[in-house]
Coordinates of all heavy atoms in Angstrom, one line a residue:
M279 N -15.4 11.0 36.2 CA -14.1 10.9 35.6 C -14.0 9.6 34.7 O -13.7 9.7 33.5 CB -13.0 11.0 36.4 CG -12.4 12.5 36.2 SD -10.9 13.0 36.7 CE -9.6 12.0 36.2
S280 N -14.1 8.6 35.4 CA -14.0 7.3 34.8 C -15.1 6.9 33.9 O -16.4 7.2 34.3 CB -13.8 6.2 35.9 OG -14.9 6.0 36.6
Q281 N -14.9 6.5 32.7 CA -15.9 6.1 31.8 C -16.7 4.8 32.3 O -16.0 3.8 32.7 CB -15.5 5.8 30.4 CG -15.7 7.1 29.5 CD -15.2 6.8 28.1 OE1 -14.4 5.9 27.9 NE2 -15.9 7.4 27.2
E282 N -17.9 4.9 32.4 CA -18.6 3.7 32.8 C -18.9 2.8 31.5 O -19.5 3.3 30.6 CB -20.0 4.0 33.4 CG -19.9 3.9 35.0 CD -21.3 4.1 35.5 OE1 -22.2 3.3 35.3 OE2 -21.4 5.1 36.3
K283 N -18.5 1.6 31.8 CA -18.7 0.6 30.7 C -20.1 0.0 30.7 O -20.6 -0.2 31.8 CB -17.7 -0.6 30.8 CG -16.4 -0.2 30.2 CD -15.5 -1.4 30.2 CE -14.1 -1.0 29.8 NZ -13.1 -2.2 29.9
P284 N -20.8 0.1 29.6 CA -22.1 -0.5 29.6 C -22.2 -1.9 29.8 O -21.4 -2.7 29.3 CB -22.8 -0.1 28.2 CG -21.6 0.2 27.4 CD -20.4 0.6 28.3
T285 N -23.0 -2.4 30.8 CA -23.0 -3.8 31.2 C -24.5 -4.1 31.1 O -25.4 -3.3 31.5 CB -22.5 -4.2 32.5 OG1 -22.9 -3.4 33.5 CG2 -20.9 -4.2 32.4
K286 N -24.9 -5.4 30.8 CA -26.3 -5.8 30.9 C -26.2 -7.3 31.0 O -25.2 -8.0 30.8 CB -27.1 -5.4 29.8 CG -26.7 -6.0 28.4 CD -27.8 -5.6 27.4 CE -27.4 -6.2 26.0 NZ -28.3 -5.7 24.9
E287 N -27.3 -7.9 31.4 CA -27.5 -9.4 31.6 C -27.7 -9.9 30.2 O -28.5 -9.5 29.5 CB -28.6 -9.7 32.4 CG -28.3 -9.5 33.9 CD -28.8 -10.6 34.8 OE1 -29.6 -11.4 34.4 OE2 -27.9 -11.0 35.8
I288 N -26.9 -10.9 29.8 CA -27.0 -11.5 28.5 C -27.0 -13.0 28.6 O -26.6 -13.6 29.6 CB -25.6 -11.2 27.7 CG1 -25.5 -9.7 27.5 CG2 -25.8 -11.9 26.4 CD1 -24.2 -9.3 26.9
Q289 N -28.0 -13.6 27.8 CA -28.1 -15.0 27.9 C -27.1 -15.7 26.9 O -27.1 -15.3 25.7 CB -29.6 -15.5 27.5 CG -29.8 -16.9 27.9 CD -31.2 -17.4 27.7 OE1 -32.0 -16.7 26.9 NE2 -31.7 -18.4 28.3
C290 N -26.3 -16.5 27.6 CA -25.3 -17.1 26.6 C -26.0 -18.0 25.6 O -26.8 -18.8 25.8 CB -24.4 -18.0 27.6 SG -23.1 -18.9 26.6
E291 N -25.5 -17.8 24.3 CA -26.1 -18.7 23.3 C -25.7 -20.1 23.3 O -26.2 -20.9 22.6 CB -25.7 -18.0 21.9 CG -26.6 -16.8 21.7 CD -26.4 -16.2 20.2 OE1 -26.1 -16.8 19.3 OE2 -26.6 -14.9 20.2
S292 N -24.5 -20.4 24.0 CA -24.0 -21.7 23.9 C -24.6 -22.6 25.2 O -25.2 -23.7 24.9 CB -22.5 -21.8 24.1 OG -21.9 -21.2 22.9
C293 N -24.6 -22.1 26.3 CA -25.1 -22.8 27.6 C -26.4 -22.2 28.1 O -27.0 -23.0 28.9 CB -24.1 -22.9 28.5 SG -23.5 -21.3 29.4
G294 N -26.9 -21.1 27.6 CA -28.1 -20.6 28.1 C -28.1 -19.9 29.5 O -29.1 -19.4 30.0
N295 N -26.9 -19.9 30.0 CA -26.8 -19.2 31.3 C -26.8 -17.7 31.0 O -26.3 -17.3 30.1 CB -25.5 -19.5 32.0 CG -25.6 -20.9 32.6 OD1 -26.6 -21.4 33.0 ND2 -24.4 -21.5 32.8
T296 N -27.3 -17.0 32.1 CA -27.1 -15.6 31.9 C -25.9 -15.1 32.7 O -25.6 -15.6 33.7 CB -28.5 -14.8 32.6 OG1 -28.7 -15.4 33.9 CG2 -29.7 -14.9 31.6
F297 N -25.4 -14.1 32.1 CA -24.2 -13.6 32.7 C -24.1 -12.1 32.4 O -24.9 -11.5 31.7 CB -22.9 -14.2 32.1 CG -22.8 -13.8 30.6 CD1 -21.9 -12.9 30.1 CD2 -23.4 -14.6 29.6 CE1 -21.7 -12.8 28.7 CE2 -23.4 -14.3 28.3 CZ -22.5 -13.4 27.9
L298 N -23.3 -11.4 33.2 CA -23.2 -9.9 33.0 C -22.1 -9.6 32.0 O -21.0 -9.8 32.2 CB -22.8 -9.3 34.4 CG -23.1 -7.8 34.4 CD1 -24.6 -7.4 34.4 CD2 -22.6 -7.2 35.7
G299 N -22.7 -9.2 30.9 CA -21.8 -9.0 29.8 C -21.3 -7.5 29.8 O -22.1 -6.5 30.1
E300 N -20.2 -7.3 29.3 CA -19.6 -5.9 29.1 C -19.4 -5.6 27.6 O -18.9 -6.4 26.9 CB -18.2 -6.0 29.8 CG -17.9 -4.5 30.4 CD -16.6 -4.6 31.1 OE1 -15.5 -4.7 30.5 OE2 -16.7 -4.6 32.4
A301 N -20.0 -4.5 27.2 CA -20.0 -4.1 25.9 C -18.6 -3.5 25.4 O -18.0 -2.9 26.2 CB -21.1 -3.1 25.5
V302 N -18.3 -3.8 24.2 CA -17.1 -3.1 23.7 C -17.6 -2.0 22.8 O -18.4 -2.1 21.9 CB -16.3 -4.1 22.8 CG1 -15.1 -3.4 22.1 CG2 -15.8 -5.4 23.6
V303 N -17.3 -0.8 23.3 CA -17.8 0.4 22.6 C -16.7 1.0 21.7 O -15.5 1.1 22.1 CB -18.2 1.5 23.7 CG1 -18.8 2.6 22.8 CG2 -19.2 0.8 24.5
S304 N -17.1 1.2 20.4 CA -16.2 1.8 19.5 C -16.5 3.4 19.4 O -17.7 3.6 19.1 CB -16.2 1.1 18.2 OG -15.6 1.9 17.1
M305 N -15.6 4.2 19.7 CA -15.8 5.6 19.7 C -15.7 6.2 18.3 O -16.0 7.3 18.1 CB -15.1 6.3 20.7 CG -15.6 6.1 22.2 SD -17.3 6.4 22.3 CE -17.5 6.0 24.0
L306 N -15.2 5.4 17.4 CA -14.9 5.7 16.0 C -16.3 5.7 15.3 O -17.2 5.0 15.4 CB -14.0 4.7 15.3 CG -12.6 4.5 16.0 CD1 -11.9 3.4 15.3 CD2 -11.8 5.7 15.6
G307 N -16.5 6.8 14.6 CA -17.8 7.0 13.8 C -18.9 7.4 14.8 O -18.8 7.3 16.0
S308 N -20.0 7.9 14.2 CA -21.1 8.3 15.1 C -22.3 7.7 14.5 O -22.5 7.7 13.2 CB -21.2 9.8 15.2 OG -21.4 10.4 13.9
P309 N -23.4 7.1 15.2 CA -23.2 7.0 16.7 C -22.2 5.9 17.1 O -21.9 5.0 16.3 CB -24.6 6.6 17.2 CG -25.2 5.9 15.9 CD -24.5 6.5 14.8
P310 N -21.6 6.0 18.3 CA -20.7 5.0 18.8 C -21.4 3.6 18.7 O -22.6 3.4 19.1 CB -20.4 5.2 20.2 CG -20.8 6.7 20.4 CD -21.8 7.0 19.4
R311 N -20.6 2.6 18.4 CA -21.1 1.2 18.2 C -20.8 0.5 19.4 O -19.8 0.6 20.0 CB -20.6 0.5 17.0 CG -21.1 1.0 15.7 CD -20.4 0.5 14.6 NE -21.2 -0.2 13.6 CZ -20.8 -1.1 12.7 NH1 -19.5 -1.5 12.7 NH2 -21.5 -1.6 11.9
E312 N -21.8 -0.3 19.6 CA -21.6 -1.3 20.9 C -21.6 -2.8 20.4 O -22.5 -3.1 19.7 CB -22.8 -1.1 21.9 CG -22.6 0.2 22.6 CD -23.8 0.3 23.7 OE1 -24.6 -0.7 23.7 OE2 -23.9 1.3 24.2
W313 N -20.7 -3.5 20.9 CA -20.7 -4.9 20.6 C -20.9 -5.7 21.8 O -20.1 -5.6 22.8 CB -19.4 -5.5 19.9 CG -19.3 -5.0 18.5 CD1 -19.8 -5.8 17.5 CD2 -18.6 -3.9 18.0 NE1 -19.5 -5.1 16.3 CE2 -18.8 -4.1 16.5 CE3 -17.7 -2.9 18.4 CZ2 -18.1 -3.1 15.6 CZ3 -17.3 -2.0 17.6 CH2 -17.5 -2.1 16.2
W314 N -21.9 -6.5 21.9 CA -22.1 -7.3 23.1 C -21.8 -8.8 22.9 O -21.9 -9.2 21.8 CB -23.7 -7.3 23.4 CG -24.2 -5.9 23.8 CD1 -24.7 -5.0 22.9 CD2 -24.0 -5.4 25.1 NE1 -25.0 -3.9 23.6 CE2 -24.6 -4.1 25.0 CE3 -23.6 -5.7 26.2 CZ2 -24.7 -3.2 26.0 CZ3 -23.7 -4.8 27.4 CH2 -24.3 -3.6 27.2
P315 N -21.2 -9.3 24.0 CA -20.7 -10.7 23.8 C -22.0 -11.7 23.7 O -23.0 -11.2 24.2 CB -19.9 -11.0 25.1 CG -20.4 -9.9 26.1 CD -20.8 -8.8 25.3
W316 N -22.0 -12.7 22.9 CA -23.0 -13.5 22.9 C -22.8 -14.8 23.6 O -23.6 -15.7 23.7 CB -23.2 -13.9 21.3 CG -22.1 -14.4 20.6 CD1 -21.1 -13.7 20.1 CD2 -21.8 -15.8 20.3 NE1 -20.1 -14.4 19.5 CE2 -20.5 -15.8 19.7 CE3 -22.4 -17.0 20.7 CZ2 -20.0 -17.0 19.2 CZ3 -21.8 -18.1 20.3 CH2 -20.6 -18.1 19.5
E317 N -21.6 -15.0 24.2 CA -21.3 -16.2 25.0 C -20.8 -15.7 26.3 O -20.1 -14.7 26.6 CB -20.2 -17.0 24.3 CG -20.6 -17.9 23.3 CD -19.4 -18.8 22.8 OE1 -18.4 -18.2 22.8 OE2 -19.8 -19.9 22.4
C318 N -21.0 -16.6 27.5 CA -20.4 -16.2 28.7 C -18.9 -16.6 28.7 O -18.4 -17.3 27.8 CB -21.1 -17.2 29.7 SG -20.8 -18.8 29.6
P319 N -18.1 -16.0 29.6 CA -16.7 -16.1 29.6 C -16.2 -17.6 29.6 O -15.2 -18.0 29.0 CB -16.3 -15.3 30.8 CG -17.3 -14.3 31.1 CD -18.6 -15.0 30.7
T320 N -17.1 -18.4 30.2 CA -16.8 -19.8 30.3 C -16.7 -20.5 28.9 O -15.8 -21.3 28.6 CB -17.8 -20.5 31.3 OG1 -17.9 -19.7 32.4 CG2 -17.2 -21.9 31.7
C321 N -17.8 -20.2 28.2 CA -17.9 -20.8 26.8 C -16.9 -20.2 26.0 O -16.4 -20.9 25.0 CB -19.4 -20.6 26.2 SG -20.5 -21.5 27.2
E322 N -16.7 -19.0 26.1 CA -15.6 -18.2 25.3 C -14.3 -19.0 25.4 O -13.6 -19.3 24.4 CB -15.7 -16.8 25.6 CG -15.2 -15.9 24.5 CD -15.1 -14.5 25.0 OE1 -16.1 -13.8 25.3 OE2 -14.0 -14.0 25.2
E323 N -14.0 -19.2 26.7 CA -12.7 -19.8 26.9 C -12.8 -21.3 26.5 O -11.7 -21.7 25.8 CB -12.6 -19.9 28.6 CG -11.1 -20.2 29.0 CD -10.1 -19.2 28.7 OE1 -10.5 -18.0 28.4 OE2 -9.0 -19.5 28.4
K324 N -13.8 -21.9 26.6 CA -13.9 -23.3 26.0 C -13.8 -23.4 24.6 O -13.0 -24.2 24.0 CB -15.3 -23.9 26.4 CG -15.3 -25.3 26.8 CD -16.7 -25.7 27.4 CE -17.9 -25.6 26.4 NZ -19.2 -26.0 27.1
H325 N -14.3 -22.5 23.8 CA -14.2 -22.4 22.4 C -12.7 -22.1 22.0 O -12.2 -22.6 21.0 CB -15.2 -21.3 21.8 CG -16.5 -21.8 21.7 ND1 -17.6 -21.1 21.7 CD2 -17.0 -23.0 21.6 CE1 -18.7 -21.9 21.5 NE2 -18.3 -23.1 21.4
K326 N -12.1 -21.2 22.8 CA -10.7 -20.8 22.5 C -9.8 -22.2 22.5 O -9.0 -22.4 21.7 CB -10.2 -19.8 23.5 CG -10.2 -18.4 22.8 CD -9.5 -17.5 23.8 CE -10.3 -16.3 24.1 NZ -9.9 -15.6 25.3
L327 N -10.2 -23.1 23.6 CA -9.4 -24.2 23.8 C -9.7 -25.3 22.7 O -8.8 -25.9 22.2 CB -9.8 -24.8 25.2 CG -9.1 -24.2 26.3 CD1 -9.7 -24.8 27.6 CD2 -7.6 -24.1 26.3
E328 N -11.0 -25.2 22.3 CA -11.4 -26.1 21.2 C -10.7 -25.8 20.0 O -10.3 -26.7 19.2 CB -12.9 -26.1 21.0 CG -13.7 -27.0 21.9 CD -15.1 -26.8 21.8 OE1 -15.7 -26.3 20.9 OE2 -15.7 -27.2 22.8
V329 N -10.6 -24.6 19.6 CA -9.8 -24.1 18.5 C -8.4 -24.5 18.4 O -7.9 -25.2 17.5 CB -10.0 -22.6 18.2 CG1 -9.0 -22.1 17.1 CG2 -11.4 -22.2 18.0
E330 N -7.9 -24.4 19.6 CA -6.4 -24.8 19.8 C -6.3 -26.3 19.5 O -5.5 -26.8 18.9 CB -5.9 -24.4 21.1 CG -5.2 -23.1 21.1 CD -4.9 -22.5 22.5 OE1 -4.3 -23.4 23.4 OE2 -5.1 -21.4 22.8
R331 N -7.2 -27.1 20.2 CA -7.1 -28.5 20.2 C -7.4 -28.8 18.7 O -6.8 -29.9 18.3 CB -8.2 -29.0 21.1 CG -7.7 -30.3 21.6 CD -8.7 -31.0 22.6 NE -9.1 -30.1 23.8 CZ -10.3 -29.9 24.3 NH1 -11.3 -30.5 23.7 NH2 -10.5 -29.1 25.2
G332 N -8.3 -28.4 18.1 CA -8.6 -28.6 16.7 C -7.5 -28.5 15.8 O -7.2 -29.3 15.0
H333 N -6.7 -27.4 16.1 CA -5.5 -27.2 15.3 C -4.5 -28.3 15.5 O -3.9 -28.8 14.6 CB -5.0 -25.9 15.7 CG -3.7 -25.3 14.8 ND1 -3.8 -25.3 13.5 CD2 -2.5 -25.2 15.2 CE1 -2.6 -24.9 12.9 NE2 -1.8 -25.0 14.0
Q334 N -4.4 -28.7 16.8 CA -3.5 -29.7 17.2 C -3.8 -31.0 16.6 O -3.0 -31.8 16.1 CB -3.3 -29.8 18.7 CG -2.3 -28.9 19.1 CD -2.3 -28.7 20.7 OE1 -2.9 -29.4 21.4 NE2 -1.6 -27.7 21.2
E335 N -5.2 -31.3 16.5 CA -5.7 -32.6 16.1 C -5.5 -32.6 14.5 O -5.0 -33.7 14.0 CB -7.3 -32.6 16.2 CG -7.6 -33.5 17.4 CD -9.0 -33.4 17.8 OE1 -9.9 -33.2 16.9 OE2 -9.3 -33.5 19.0
Y336 N -5.5 -31.4 13.9 CA -5.2 -31.4 12.4 C -3.7 -31.7 12.3 O -3.4 -32.5 11.3 CB -5.6 -30.0 11.9 CG -5.0 -29.8 10.5 CD1 -5.9 -30.3 9.5 CD2 -3.9 -29.2 10.3 CE1 -5.5 -30.1 8.2 CE2 -3.6 -28.9 8.9 CZ -4.3 -29.4 7.9 OH -3.8 -29.2 6.6
L337 N -2.9 -31.3 13.0 CA -1.5 -31.6 12.9 C -1.2 -33.1 13.1 O -0.4 -33.7 12.5 CB -0.6 -30.8 13.9 CG -0.5 -29.3 13.5 CD1 0.2 -28.6 14.7 CD2 0.1 -29.0 12.2
V338 N -1.9 -33.6 14.2 CA -1.7 -35.1 14.5 C -2.3 -35.9 13.3 O -1.8 -36.9 13.0 CB -2.5 -35.3 15.8 CG1 -2.5 -36.8 16.1 CG2 -1.7 -34.7 17.0
Q339 N -3.4 -35.4 12.8 CA -4.1 -36.3 11.7 C -3.2 -36.2 10.5 O -3.2 -37.2 9.7 CB -5.4 -35.7 11.4 CG -6.5 -36.3 12.2 CD -7.8 -35.5 12.2 OE1 -7.9 -34.6 11.2 NE2 -8.7 -35.7 12.9
A340 N -2.4 -35.2 10.3 CA -1.6 -35.1 9.1 C -0.5 -36.1 9.0 O -0.1 -36.6 8.1 CB -1.0 -33.7 9.0
R341 N 0.0 -36.6 10.2 CA 1.0 -37.4 10.3 C 0.6 -38.9 9.9 O 1.4 -39.4 9.1 CB 1.7 -37.4 11.7 CG 2.8 -36.3 11.7 CD 3.4 -36.1 13.1 NE 3.3 -34.7 13.4 CZ 3.2 -34.3 14.8 NH1 3.2 -35.1 15.7 NH2 3.1 -33.2 15.0
P342 N -0.4 -39.4 10.6 CA -0.8 -40.8 10.2 C -1.1 -40.8 8.6 O -0.9 -41.9 8.0 CB -2.1 -41.0 10.9 CG -2.1 -40.1 12.1 CD -1.3 -39.0 11.7
E343 N -1.6 -39.8 8.1 CA -1.9 -39.7 6.7 C -0.6 -39.8 5.9 O -0.5 -40.7 4.9 CB -2.5 -38.4 6.4 CG -3.3 -38.3 5.0 CD -4.4 -39.5 4.9 OE1 -5.0 -39.7 6.0 OE2 -4.4 -40.1 3.8
E344 N 0.4 -39.2 6.4 CA 1.7 -39.3 5.7 C 2.2 -40.7 5.8 O 2.7 -41.3 4.8 CB 2.7 -38.3 6.4 CG 3.0 -37.2 5.7 CD 3.8 -36.1 6.4 OE1 4.8 -36.5 6.9 OE2 3.3 -35.0 6.7
R345 N 2.0 -41.3 7.0 CA 2.5 -42.6 7.3 C 1.8 -43.6 6.4 O 2.3 -44.6 5.8 CB 2.2 -43.1 8.7 CG 3.5 -43.2 9.5 CD 3.1 -43.5 11.0 NE 3.1 -42.4 11.8 CZ 2.3 -42.2 12.8 NH1 1.3 -43.2 13.0 NH2 2.3 -41.2 13.5
K346 N 0.5 -43.4 6.1 CA -0.4 -44.2 5.3 C 0.3 -44.2 3.9 O 0.3 -45.2 3.2 CB -1.8 -43.7 5.4 CG -2.8 -44.9 5.6 CD -4.2 -44.4 5.6 CE -4.7 -43.7 6.8 NZ -6.0 -42.9 6.6
L347 N 0.5 -43.0 3.4 CA 1.0 -42.8 2.0 C 2.4 -43.7 2.0 O 2.6 -44.2 0.9 CB 1.2 -41.4 1.9 CG 0.0 -40.6 1.5 CD1 0.4 -39.2 1.4 CD2 -0.6 -41.0 0.2
M348 N 3.2 -43.5 3.0 CA 4.4 -44.2 3.0 C 4.3 -45.7 2.9 O 4.9 -46.5 2.1 CB 5.3 -43.8 4.2 CG 6.1 -42.5 4.0 SD 6.5 -41.8 5.5 CE 7.8 -42.9 6.1
A349 N 3.3 -46.1 3.7 CA 3.0 -47.6 3.7 C 2.4 -48.0 2.4 O 2.8 -49.1 1.9 CB 1.9 -48.0 4.9
A350 N 1.5 -47.3 1.8 CA 1.0 -47.5 0.6 C 2.0 -47.7 -0.5 O 2.1 -48.5 -1.4 CB 0.0 -46.5 0.2
A351 N 3.0 -46.8 -0.5 CA 4.1 -46.9 -1.3 C 4.9 -48.0 -1.2 O 5.3 -48.7 -2.2 CB 5.0 -45.7 -1.1
E352 N 5.2 -48.5 0.1 CA 5.8 -49.8 0.3 C 5.1 -51.0 -0.2 O 5.7 -51.8 -0.9 CB 6.1 -50.0 1.8 CG 7.5 -49.6 2.3 CD 7.7 -49.6 3.8 OE1 7.4 -50.8 4.4 OE2 7.8 -48.4 4.4
W353 N 3.8 -51.0 0.2 CA 3.0 -52.1 -0.2 C 2.7 -52.2 -1.7 O 2.7 -53.2 -2.3 CB 1.6 -52.0 0.5 CG 1.7 -52.5 2.0 CD1 2.7 -52.1 2.8 CD2 0.9 -53.4 2.7 NE1 2.6 -52.6 4.0 CE2 1.5 -53.4 4.1 CE3 -0.2 -54.1 2.5 CZ2 0.8 -54.2 5.0 CZ3 -0.9 -54.9 3.4 CH2 -0.3 -54.9 4.8
G354 N 2.7 -51.1 -2.3 CA 2.4 -50.9 -3.6 C 3.6 -51.2 -4.5 O 3.5 -51.1 -5.8
C355 N 4.7 -51.5 -3.8 CA 5.9 -51.6 -4.6 C 5.8 -53.0 -5.5 O 5.5 -54.0 -4.9 CB 7.0 -51.9 -3.5 SG 8.7 -51.8 -4.3
P356 N 5.9 -52.8 -6.7 CA 5.7 -53.9 -7.5 C 6.8 -55.0 -7.2 O 8.0 -54.6 -7.0 CB 6.0 -53.3 -9.0 CG 6.7 -52.1 -8.8 CD 6.3 -51.6 -7.5
M357 N 6.4 -56.3 -7.2 CA 7.3 -57.3 -6.7 C 7.7 -58.0 -8.1 O 8.3 -59.2 -8.0 CB 6.5 -58.4 -5.9 CG 6.1 -57.7 -4.5 SD 7.5 -57.3 -3.4 CE 7.8 -58.9 -2.7
V358 N 7.3 -57.5 -9.2 CA 7.8 -58.3 -10.4 C 9.1 -57.8 -10.9 O 9.6 -56.7 -10.6 CB 6.8 -58.1 -11.5 CG1 5.6 -59.2 -11.3 CG2 6.3 -56.7 -11.6
Ligands
ZN134 ZN1 -22.1 -20.2 28.3

């Protein structure tokens, strides 16, 4: 009754560890397509965090840049 999900041992492209990956099967179209993960869940999680952190870093970086511009405007204020 229950559909068996195809699983196989996959070598993680990031850390090289082998892990049991579960394919995502699309039943749309024929033949059905299978997508296999290329990273172990640990690396996947790590990348997700990196993306989030990268976004935050971008936001943090934008602020000093603004500050620099403000400082430049102050310093560049003509004294004549
Ligand atoms: Zn990995």
Side-chain angles (χ1 to χ4, degrees):
M279 250 189 64
S280 64
Q281 258 185 330
E282 254 186 64
K283 280 185 183 172
T285 51
K286 71 173 178 186
E287 285 228 326
I288 298 168
Q289 192 173 21
C290 174
E291 280 185 29
S292 293
C293 67
N295 283 337
T296 48
F297 64 101
L298 195 65
E300 211 172 73
V302 177
V303 184
S304 168
M305 289 303 177
L306 300 168
S308 61
R311 281 170 130 202
E312 286 178 5
W313 280 280
W314 294 95
W316 53 277
E317 274 184 333
C318 67
T320 314
C321 288
E322 210 184 286
E323 195 63 31
K324 215 165 69 184
H325 278 157
K326 259 187 234 163
L327 288 174
E328 268 170 24
V329 167
E330 263 170 50
R331 210 181 303 141
H333 182 64
Q334 275 167 10
E335 260 168 36
Y336 173 77
L337 291 175
V338 169
Q339 271 168 11
R341 268 174 238 154
E343 199 54 45
E344 260 173 55
R345 248 179 266 144
K346 234 185 273 168
L347 281 172
M348 274 161 70
E352 254 174 67
W353 284 44
C355 188
M357 297 290 280
V358 279

